[in-house]
Amino acid sequence: MSLLEVKGIEKRFGDTEVLKDISFSLEEGKALAIIGSSGSGKTTLLRCLNFLEKPDAGTISVRGKCIFDAADPATQRENEVRQKRLHFGLVFQSFNLFPQYTALENVTLAGKLRQDKSQWSAIERQGMELLERMGLGDRSGHYPHQLSGGQQQRVAIARALALQPDVLCFDEPTSALDPELTGEVLKVIRSLAEQDTTMIIVTHEMAFARDVADEVIFMDGGVIVEQGSAKEVIEHPAQERTRQFLARYAES
């Protein structure tokens, strides 16, 4: 049984159809990369999975249980949606750290809001362990403005991991970074893949997608044009539209 099953997801903004019949599955411990040009629907798909946008059609299931059905209002109650978000962790392009909190406070804030004070020391220990795992143990007391872009993104990854999501999602995690800082974030994501963390990665780093992801989806115009093993899709695409996209990327 797949950990995640997405079936027939559709999303419209006014008269614009952004996602059209999106279906895929993801096994536990696997990494899925989603590639495609700007405006292809990649970020909207992630936002739908994290319930930051409500799909207009389709279902989302985790571990065999349907947690969202666009045709069933009972799966869309706000208090339930907040709980369902915990299945997914999302690392944004632009870090989205709270500037008034230290690195450790950013990582532990959500956990502390959900637990009583008797659990806070354990939450802080876990937060420190995650920061050390990100190579930031000596930066726990630093505020975001005292950290480089790469360090801020690693704090954001630790924050997402702190909630122990079933699926960790990345929305172009290196797009806001200088090229010299990109490598340190990709190294962290690579290590997570090696530890069998279940991930969905929207990325413009084609070589990284090929080498780290197990599966790749290529989206264009709100539809899945091609999906398959990472190496096959990127090195031997079957669809002409995929070949055109990758050829442009190789030239840039």
Side-chain angles (χ1 to χ4, degrees), residues 16-35:
T16 303
E17 197 171 16
V18 180
L19 297 176
K20 309 168 190 175
D21 194 23
I22 301 294
S23 300
F24 65 91
S25 61
L26 180 61
E27 294 181 10
E28 189 162 11
K30 299 297 184 182
L32 168 68
I34 303 178
I35 62 174

Side-chain angles (χ1 to χ4, degrees), residues 85-240:
R85 284 193 182 114
L86 298 178
H87 290 290
F88 300 89
L90 179 58
V91 179
F92 297 89
Q93 296 180 26
S94 53
F95 323 138
N96 284 16
L97 299 179
F98 294 107
Q100 70 272 34
Y101 295 132
T102 65
L104 181 59
E105 288 169 339
N106 266 281
V107 172
T108 60
L109 179 62
K112 287 181 176 180
L113 290 174
R114 289 173 30 235
Q115 301 289 344
D116 59 52
K117 287 188 177 181
S118 66
Q119 301 297 317
W120 284 14
S121 59
I123 290 170
E124 289 188 356
R125 283 197 302 273
Q126 181 206 37
M128 277 301 304
E129 289 171 1
L130 285 169
L131 286 174
E132 288 167 0
R133 187 172 162 191
M134 298 295 115
L136 295 171
D138 60 342
R139 298 289 190 272
S140 63
H142 286 55
Y143 291 88
H145 74 273
Q146 298 172 311
L147 302 171
S148 71
Q151 289 170 336
Q152 290 184 61
Q153 192 62 294
R154 283 184 279 155
V155 172
I157 294 171
R159 179 178 61 182
L161 286 170
L163 295 177
Q164 300 178 327
D166 291 296
V167 183
L168 183 58
C169 302
F170 294 88
D171 185 11
E172 296 191 7
T174 62
S175 65
L177 300 177
D178 294 333
E180 63 184 18
L181 299 177
T182 294
E184 65 187 59
V185 173
L186 294 182
K187 181 179 178 182
V188 168
I189 300 173
R190 187 185 299 271
S191 71
L192 291 172
E194 291 170 351
Q195 296 162 28
D196 296 329
T197 305
T198 309
M199 295 185 290
I200 299 176
I201 310 163
V202 169
T203 183
H204 56 271
E205 304 281 348
M206 295 302 119
F208 178 76
R210 179 197 62 208
D211 296 340
V212 172
D214 299 287
E215 301 282 326
V216 164
I217 284 175
F218 169 60
M219 291 182 64
D220 185 57
V223 302
I224 294 177
V225 174
E226 186 166 353
Q227 58 184 312
S229 73
K231 190 170 183 179
E232 280 299 312
V233 171
I234 292 178
E235 294 189 351
H236 307 289
Q239 302 298 319
E240 178 59 27

Side-chain angles (χ1 to χ4, degrees), residues 1 7 11-12 33 43 49 58 92 131 150 169 240 249 251:
M1 180 186 296
K7 294 183 179 179
K11 179 63 183 176
R12 292 179 296 277
T43 293
L49 291 177
F92 297 89
L131 286 174
C169 302
E240 178 59 27
Y249 239 97
E251 293 167 0

